[in-house]
Amino acid sequence: MEYPAPVARLIEELRRLPGIGPKSAQRITYHLLKGTVEDALRLGDLISRLKEGIRTCSLCNAITDQEVCVTCADPVRSDKVICVVEEPHNLVAVEKTRDFRGRYHVLHGALSPLQGIGPDELKLQGLLDRVRGGGVEEVILATSPTVEGEATAVYLARILKPLGVKVTRIAMGIPVGSDLEWADEVTIPKALEGRREY
Amino acid sequence: MEYPAPVARLIEELRRLPGIGPKSAQRITYHLLKGTVEDALRLGDLISRLKEGIRTCSLCNAITDQEVCVTCADPVRSDKVICVVEEPHNLVAVEKTRDFRGRYHVLHGALSPLQGIGPDELKLQGLLDRVRGGGVEEVILATSPTVEGEATAVYLARILKPLGVKVTRIAMGIPVGSDLEWADEVTIPKALEGRREY
């Protein structure tokens, strides 16, 4: 018994997504087969067109559908503090706590010599430009407390401090070895509050 | 910080899939955003077109892209034994063991009075027709050992036995309360082998 080709191909393709194993891929496929044509078309269309009009913010590299993202465009936020995160969803996690009213910078990665990710693979230039441009008093390094995130924070502290800006690291309120993504809305403000100077 | 609309809508839509929580939906969305346009288009297209040309076998109700599925069309298999399963993926699970060489019947569900699923909601007619048509010596009830699967087996035994066919139930080698889907390739043959007559 083989699956019909379109079914087998979708199961195979779904397995390539993060967190989806063979059983999950099969369950999702049968769920879609049992659902309406409209449901499948809606999901398929959203995926196909996902990248249309989506870009990274020209200031902070967040995911946006504008030239400048909502956070950077907000006139009320303080330009004096920049919170540096690894990935766009880390920004969303911090933002959900409504505890931070400064600006962000998204690196789109973390240093990982083993995976061949060096400083050139990270989006650093915009951050350096903003700090050099003046007006920034503090850069909070909110990379994840993993080996890679820690290495990235140490590296950033080393290149940012000579520019005369205060560089801080979020506190290890977030369980070490975990990812910022999994931290809850109580832990993130605690970590922001307990930040220490490098 | 809000997600751009296409991103937020995809996360929302992915959360409706079985086994996908809010974090998974977000991870998958970012995975797709980081990937190539071609990857997103390929997955989107597979989902959109999934139901095109896919139908249920006119004999056993398995998922197929032909009028009659591969298993029903196989001339080598025995017509004397029909293995009844709840869902198409249960058929695939049994078939993977290469232990059963008869035919199948897929019910597309199980009796569940709480969810309002009665005999009319199951695909029973084809099974009854085949048994009444003669030549079938045994019907193996391989519904899952859950409350619903057990109720379905009891119900089927009651309507099939008066037709003069031997009705058997797979053995409880599969952990009770679990789903046939999770059984491994050693347990399924054991369960088939240890089947007992109703």
Side-chain angles (χ1 to χ4, degrees), chain A residues 79-80 82 128-137 163:
Chain A
D79 290 322
K80 292 179 184 169
I82 297 178
L128 298 178
D129 289 347
R130 276 200 281 173
V131 172
R132 286 202 188 100
V136 180
E137 294 176 1
L163 303 178

Side-chain angles (χ1 to χ4, degrees), chain B:
Chain B
M1 173 65 185
E2 295 282 312
Y3 284 109
V7 177
R9 282 213 309 276
L10 177 57
I11 291 173
E12 203 47 53
E13 202 67 31
L14 287 171
R15 283 183 59 179
R16 300 171 58 175
L17 298 175
I20 306 281
K23 297 272 189 193
S24 299
Q26 194 173 265
R27 281 175 85 92
I28 292 169
T29 302
Y30 277 110
H31 176 87
L32 292 169
L33 276 171
K34 280 195 149 190
T36 66
V37 173
E38 289 69 34
D39 281 345
L41 281 175
R42 193 171 59 245
L43 177 60
D45 194 54
L46 281 169
I47 292 172
S48 296
R49 300 179 57 190
L50 177 64
K51 290 172 78 89
E52 279 177 26
I54 295 293
R55 54 167 85 185
T56 53
C57 170
S58 61
L59 288 172
C60 78
N61 305 319
I63 299 286
T64 179
D65 50 3
Q66 307 291 320
E67 167 71 19
V68 169
C69 77
V70 180
T71 317
C72 285
D74 186 344
V76 180
R77 286 174 168 264
S78 167
D79 291 322
K80 293 178 182 167
V81 190
I82 297 178
C83 177
V84 178
V85 294
E86 294 175 24
E87 300 290 349
H89 59 273
N90 296 147
L91 186 162
V92 176
V94 175
E95 201 53 13
K96 266 191 189 152
T97 69
R98 299 170 183 277
D99 207 64
F100 176 71
R101 304 301 296 160
R103 306 290 179 183
Y104 288 94
H105 182 84
V106 184
L107 298 168
H108 285 269
L111 294 180
S112 175
L114 286 176
Q115 291 178 58
I117 300 170
D120 291 346
E121 275 69 47
L122 302 184
K123 293 186 187 296
L124 297 173
Q125 199 53 51
L127 175 64
L128 299 178
D129 289 348
R130 277 199 280 174
V131 172
R132 285 200 188 100
V136 179
E137 295 176 1
E138 178 179 359
V139 175
I140 304 176
L141 302 175
T143 52
S144 287
T146 56
V147 175
E148 292 80 12
E150 199 58 34
T152 309
V154 170
Y155 173 82
L156 285 175
R158 210 168 55 213
I159 60 168
L160 287 168
K161 285 191 79 170
L163 303 178
V165 72
K166 182 176 170 186
V167 181
T168 57
R169 177 84 170 106
I170 52 165
M172 293 292 168
I174 299 159
V176 174
S178 177
D179 189 286
L180 194 62
E181 187 179 356
W182 310 110
D184 58 66
E185 296 175 24
V186 178
T187 311
I188 290 178
K190 282 244 183 300
L192 282 167
E193 190 188 347
R195 65 189 186 265
R196 56 187 169 69
E197 196 169 355
Y198 260 110

Side-chain angles (χ1 to χ4, degrees), chain A residues 2-195:
Chain A
E2 294 281 313
Y3 285 109
V7 177
R9 281 213 310 275
L10 178 57
I11 291 173
E12 203 48 52
E13 202 68 31
L14 288 171
R15 284 183 59 179
R16 297 171 60 175
L17 297 176
I20 306 282
K23 297 272 189 194
S24 299
Q26 194 173 264
R27 282 176 84 94
I28 291 169
T29 302
Y30 277 109
H31 174 87
L32 292 169
L33 276 170
K34 280 196 148 187
T36 65
V37 174
E38 290 69 34
D39 281 346
L41 281 176
R42 193 170 59 246
L43 177 60
D45 194 52
L46 281 170
I47 292 173
S48 296
R49 300 178 57 190
L50 177 64
K51 289 171 78 88
E52 278 176 27
I54 296 291
R55 55 166 85 184
T56 53
C57 171
S58 59
L59 287 173
C60 79
N61 304 320
I63 298 286
T64 179
D65 50 3
Q66 306 291 322
E67 167 71 19
V68 169
C69 77
V70 180
T71 315
C72 286
D74 186 344
V76 179
R77 287 174 168 265
S78 167
D79 290 322
K80 292 179 184 169
V81 190
I82 297 178
C83 179
V84 178
V85 294
E86 293 175 24
E87 300 290 349
H89 58 273
N90 296 147
L91 186 162
V92 177
V94 175
E95 202 52 14
K96 266 190 188 152
T97 68
R98 299 171 182 276
D99 206 64
F100 177 70
R101 304 301 296 160
R103 306 290 179 183
Y104 288 95
H105 182 83
V106 183
L107 298 168
H108 285 270
L111 295 179
S112 174
L114 287 176
Q115 292 176 59
I117 300 170
D120 291 347
E121 275 70 47
L122 303 184
K123 293 186 188 294
L124 296 174
Q125 199 53 51
L127 175 64
L128 298 178
D129 289 347
R130 276 200 281 173
V131 172
R132 286 202 188 100
V136 180
E137 294 176 1
E138 179 178 357
V139 175
I140 304 176
L141 302 175
T143 53
S144 287
T146 56
V147 174
E148 292 81 11
E150 199 57 36
T152 309
V154 169
Y155 173 82
L156 286 175
R158 211 168 53 212
I159 60 168
L160 288 168
K161 286 191 79 170
L163 303 178
V165 72
K166 183 175 171 186
V167 181
T168 56
R169 178 83 169 108
I170 51 165
M172 292 294 168
I174 299 158
V176 174
S178 176
D179 191 286
L180 195 63
E181 187 177 357
W182 309 111
D184 59 67
E185 296 175 24
V186 179
T187 311
I188 291 178
K190 281 242 183 301
L192 281 168
E193 191 189 347
R195 65 188 187 265

